[in-house]
Amino acid sequence: MATDAGDPASRSGPGTRSSKDPGLGTGRRPGPRSGPRSGFPDGFLWGVSTSAHQIEGAAEEREPSVWDVFTARPGRVKDGSTAAVACDHCHRYREDVALLAGLGVDAYRFSVSWPRVNSPGGLGFYDRLVDELCAAGVRPVPTLFHWDLPADLDWLDRDTAGRFAEHVSVVADRLGDRVTKWITLNEPAEHTLLGHALGAHAPGRRLLFDALPAAHHQLLAHGLAVRALRAAGARDIGIANSHSPTWPASGDPADVAAAEFYDLLLNRLFSDPVVLGVYPEGLGELMPGDVAADLEVISEPLDWYGVNYYAPARVGAPQEKETEFGGLTLPPELPFSLREIEGRPVTDFGWPVVPEALTETLTGLSARYGDRLPPLVVTENGCSYEGLDDQDRIAYLDAHIDALRAALEAGADVRGYFVWSLMDNFEWAEGYARRFGLVHVDFTTQKRTPKASYHWFRERVAAARG
Ligand code: IFM
């Protein structure tokens, strides 16, 4: 196995615990599960996340997705790369599962590629992966859609929602004897905004508000998927929605109104229908079809609600000209503008590090939805930094885990935390330039090397269980 447990990068860090390094491959340690002493409830789920298109490679063994079409167009991915090989995970999954076992996590969140499932032998890969995870004592938590839509489908078509439910039934029938925890969709907000409204992600459309049907059809697909999973006997179902607290750029009423609208569009557009069965004010009218009937489906009860959190947004009144922000080109037609959050460290991606906004997200969701909100799980949290001795990542994760604990203390019902990501991977329009992994991947040799954060996270999890 091309790992390096003896890497000097593994030996120190701000949060490094003093207990003896058990080395890779040890698996989960015996002893008490998490308990009140650590501040985390019994059964709290510790995990890491990835997605199919970002790690699997083996593109020639599956049908194309919208991302293959998008990356083939010049200039769409910053370093000109594609995910054709990525981490070659399809051929190296055993090594990657050994890394998960060595990390001592309870669960692994990965995604099932719909184009691969449509291809001969595609489901067999997930069969083998799930078997390997179960044998290693790591609970498989598949996401059923993480942006890699089959190239011949389109979220602007209502039919895609029904096709998704069929795909979900096929996957659940094959894996449901070993998989008990499921995620329907990953971040429909980003897939709508970046992929359909601003054109920065696949399928590369720049429709602005005409992208809203893509959001509605994904939400409908989510509800139909919940029904399909229940029909297949699943009892532990969630969604992974992104949430960013939205801070007005100033107290000026125009900035406050713009921030409120941004919150509606990026956060509540995706949580209100799922949790409450309603669209936020003014947005339901813009959706296609029999919206009231669809909302019944979209609000199928969930067992838990997943939150992907990275950073808050600072939002101001619209600007008169096109602006660039965080690699996005924002047209003046948008009723808001994005502003820098000053005075904070930033990741290599330029995202501000604001751990207390995770507390705000979790407590804010609890306050808004009260008894209607199922238990929360942080399904993604992480940061991009270079290097094997990634002390900045350790500091980021440590502070965010503390922020999660603060939310627990404030009464939020949070049942799990997943780091994004197990290993460096294809970061969409950024290509391989952003490294989010606990494990370094050399994309030339495919050598995996656990970073300092890998060793640190293993100890952090063990201490939290203790
Ligand atoms: O890499 C992505 C992931 O696919 C979805 N959530 C955000 C991550 C970091 O950008």
Side-chain angles (χ1 to χ4, degrees), residues 67 70-78 199-201 203-205 428-430:
W67 266 95
F70 183 77
T71 50
R73 291 193 222 145
R76 295 307 182 115
V77 175
K78 281 189 187 146
H201 276 191
R205 291 210 176 92
W428 309 112
E430 300 287 317

Side-chain angles (χ1 to χ4, degrees), residues 161-463:
R163 299 280 292 272
F164 181 62
E166 287 164 18
H167 155 70
V168 169
S169 296
V170 168
V171 177
D173 284 349
R174 183 74 168 259
L175 305 182
D177 55 340
R178 288 149 292 155
V179 169
T180 54
K181 198 172 186 73
W182 300 89
I183 299 176
T184 55
L185 307 182
N186 179 72
E187 296 180 5
E190 272 63 31
H191 194 51
T192 304
L193 177 79
L194 301 176
H196 298 77
L198 297 179
H201 276 191
R205 291 210 176 92
R206 214 168 152 75
L207 299 174
L208 301 182
F209 282 94
D210 289 340
L212 284 173
H216 183 70
H217 296 146
Q218 285 177 82
L219 287 165
L220 181 61
H222 155 79
L224 292 172
V226 175
R227 288 186 174 175
L229 286 167
R230 297 263 185 246
R235 290 195 305 274
D236 195 357
I237 307 171
I239 186 171
N241 265 342
S242 53
H243 281 275
S244 292
T246 305
W247 297 346
S250 77
D252 184 307
D255 285 341
V256 173
E260 277 169 6
F261 186 73
Y262 183 90
D263 181 42
L264 219 70
L265 204 57
L266 272 298
N267 293 313
R268 286 180 47 207
L269 178 62
F270 298 89
S271 52
D272 280 6
V274 167
V275 180
L276 303 177
V278 294
Y279 274 119
E281 47 276 19
L283 292 178
E285 293 86 309
L286 303 176
M287 297 303 187
D290 183 347
V291 175
D294 289 351
L295 282 166
E296 292 276 313
V297 180
I298 293 168
S299 57
E300 278 291 327
L302 289 177
D303 302 292
W304 52 278
Y305 184 91
V307 173
N308 292 1
Y309 169 79
Y310 289 87
R314 184 162 173 261
V315 178
Q319 289 178 346
E320 278 166 22
K321 289 196 213 124
E322 190 169 271
T323 51
E324 295 289 324
F325 187 90
L328 295 175
T329 305
L330 303 171
E333 294 90 332
L334 288 179
F336 55 79
S337 59
L338 294 171
R339 313 285 175 85
E340 301 290 346
I341 293 179
E342 279 145 22
R344 296 293 187 144
V346 292
T347 69
D348 285 354
F349 219 140
W351 297 351
V353 179
V354 191
E356 68 272 24
L358 174 58
T359 315
E360 183 183 331
T361 300
L362 299 169
T363 55
L365 284 165
S366 307
R368 173 164 179 78
Y369 297 118
D371 291 347
R372 305 283 296 271
L373 186 69
L376 298 169
V377 173
V378 175
T379 32
E380 281 182 30
N381 177 234
C383 48
S384 63
Y385 288 111
E386 288 292 318
L388 285 177
D389 189 17
D390 53 345
Q391 299 302 320
D392 286 334
R393 185 178 340 271
I394 292 172
Y396 178 101
L397 296 175
D398 200 35
H400 283 76
I401 292 169
D402 282 349
L404 189 159
R405 198 166 43 188
L408 285 168
E409 279 159 13
D413 182 3
V414 191
R415 307 274 179 97
Y417 175 84
F418 288 69
V419 172
W420 183 272
S421 176
L422 168 64
M423 55 188 163
D424 297 336
N425 56 48
F426 177 74
E427 178 52 30
W428 309 112
E430 300 287 317
Y432 295 97
R434 306 287 174 217
R435 291 183 177 269
F436 280 86
L438 299 179
V439 174
H440 178 273
V441 178
D442 178 325
F443 292 106
T444 308
T445 62
Q446 291 296 343
K447 182 175 191 279
R448 276 82 162 130
T449 306
K451 302 180 189 176
S453 58
Y454 173 95
H455 302 282
W456 169 84
F457 189 56
R458 179 180 56 211
E459 297 307 315
R460 183 66 147 105
V461 168

Side-chain angles (χ1 to χ4, degrees), residues 33-36 38-46 404 408 413-415 464:
R33 297 298 311 268
S34 44
S38 70
F40 293 94
D42 281 331
F44 190 88
L45 208 60
W46 294 95
L404 189 159
L408 285 168
D413 182 3
V414 191
R415 307 274 179 97

Side-chain angles (χ1 to χ4, degrees), residues 76-92:
R76 295 307 182 115
V77 175
K78 281 189 187 146
D79 59 7
S81 61
T82 74
V85 177
C87 306
D88 197 28
H89 170 73
C90 270
H91 302 127
R92 293 167 197 263

